[in-house]
Amino acid sequence: MRMSRREMLALSAVAAAAMPLVARADVAGTAPDSLNGLAAAKGLRFGSCLGTGPSGAPRQAGVTGDRANQFDDERLKAIFVRECGVLVPENELKWYAIRPNATDFDFARADKLMAFAAANGLLVRGHTLLWNRDIWMPPWTQTYDFGAKPGKKAERLLTTHIQTVASRYPQVFSWDVVNETIAPKTGEMEASVFTKAIGPEVIDIAFHAARAAAPKAQLVYNDYMSWGVGNKVHRDGVLRLLERLKKNNVPIDALGVQAHIGPGASDSTNTLEGENEVAWRKFLDEVTGLGLDIIITEFDFGDQTLPADAAARDAAVAATAKHYFDVMLSYKNLRYVMAWGMIDKYSWLRDRMPRADGLLKRPLPYDDDYQPKPLREAIAAAFRAAPERRWLLS
Ligand code: XIL
């Protein structure tokens, strides 16, 4: 139920090295009835993202969750430390957060979260070394002069970035090396500045650089595939990418399934039942067949088309989520579950794809008054019912 001794020792060593002024590392998420405690009893883990203020994302100005400084909210942090065993910085490791230009790095915000994780004995996952989609890269990358040999210069920019970031945080046990490089509409590689300069091998290069800089970390490709008919092209494209990477002996360990689910999410035919469930399981079987692990990396629930009444809505969210988790956790190579936030008011979904009736969305396990919702119980119940497995780091 608790973390393994090796894991605890490793964490304390990291904490001691990174934070010599912290006398004692309290270990988060160890209460047996916490979400992480219930997960750990089955060889799983549970965690969430946490942020430190405005995301800094291009095109995201004015989004509620992005304006709020979660890190100043002691009640949120208390819930986080009670429920979670893993932390992932919501924005703080992305290029737009740490790369003001092609030569400098700004680690101040990421360091803050790493110190918080170390002080509380949280495992840390890293997101992301390359978000291969131009709209999510800092604007300077779009006008950057890649010179006469663009392939070489782009490769140097990318590998230096990966080397610098990954080696600064050796405590990160799992890295989203590449995020969202398959265009959902075509199933082909995103035509980002990096893809254009280097070609599709940009992905191979990123994974090799990550392995060199973080030899022990789990290396992950992360994306938002779902089960609806409308997502087939996306799913197939991701599978082709994974197959190619495995064939080329690229060091990749797992697929990150973002899991931004709900009837109002990216694909309106996305009820996980009947044909859709068959298609989704086939996809997960194929991923598993490649020898890859699976992670739920960014769970939240887009409830914009569900009933207005909060109780009815929360119940519907919980029921659908429970079924989703049951399906996912039936895979023993599903290693751990990350929520994309713990409290509704900090969700990035708050005013993305808003409800037509103007009511606030309720995508996460706790409500705005810091009370657990039926969704929290659905996740707990899914962990209780999950088949046991061996924890990744034991
Ligand atoms: C989101 C953050 O939650 C926001 O604060 C930010 O403005 C934009 O990015 N898929 C991902 C995450 O991989 O990085 C995104 O996070 C949500 C969708």
Side-chain angles (χ1 to χ4, degrees), residues 49 53-58 60 63 65-66 70 90-91 94 96 127-128 131 136 176 179-180 222 224 258 260 298 300 340 346-348 352:
C49 72
S55 71
Q60 287 298 106
V63 174
D66 280 359
Q70 304 168 34
E90 181 169 3
N91 289 292
K94 295 171 184 170
Y96 60 67
H127 173 79
T128 169
W131 194 340
W136 295 111
D176 285 338
N179 195 37
E180 299 179 4
N222 193 48
Y224 57 84
Q258 291 186 3
H260 298 290
E298 307 181 10
D300 55 23
W340 208 240
Y346 296 120
S347 170
W348 76 303
R352 281 177 69 94

Side-chain angles (χ1 to χ4, degrees), residues 38-87:
L38 293 167
K42 298 301 175 71
L44 290 148
R45 291 292 184 273
F46 174 83
S48 169
C49 72
L50 188 64
T52 56
S55 71
R59 303 186 182 201
Q60 287 298 106
V63 174
T64 310
D66 280 359
R67 281 198 304 270
N69 190 351
Q70 304 168 34
F71 207 70
D72 286 345
D73 186 338
E74 295 304 329
R75 295 179 76 186
L76 161 66
K77 284 194 283 187
I79 288 175
F80 196 102
V81 167
R82 182 179 146 70
E83 296 278 40
C84 298
V86 190
L87 177 151

Side-chain angles (χ1 to χ4, degrees), residues 156 174 213 230 289 320 356 379 385:
R156 207 172 322 123
S174 172
T320 306
I379 302 172

Side-chain angles (χ1 to χ4, degrees), residues 44 58 89 107 140-141 168 221 292 299 314 329 331 363 373 390 393:
L44 290 148
F107 290 115
W140 64 261
T141 56
R168 182 181 176 89
Y221 173 68
L292 295 171
F299 172 82
D314 287 355
L329 293 172
Y331 286 82
K373 293 159 53 192
R390 222 182 129 91
L393 302 182

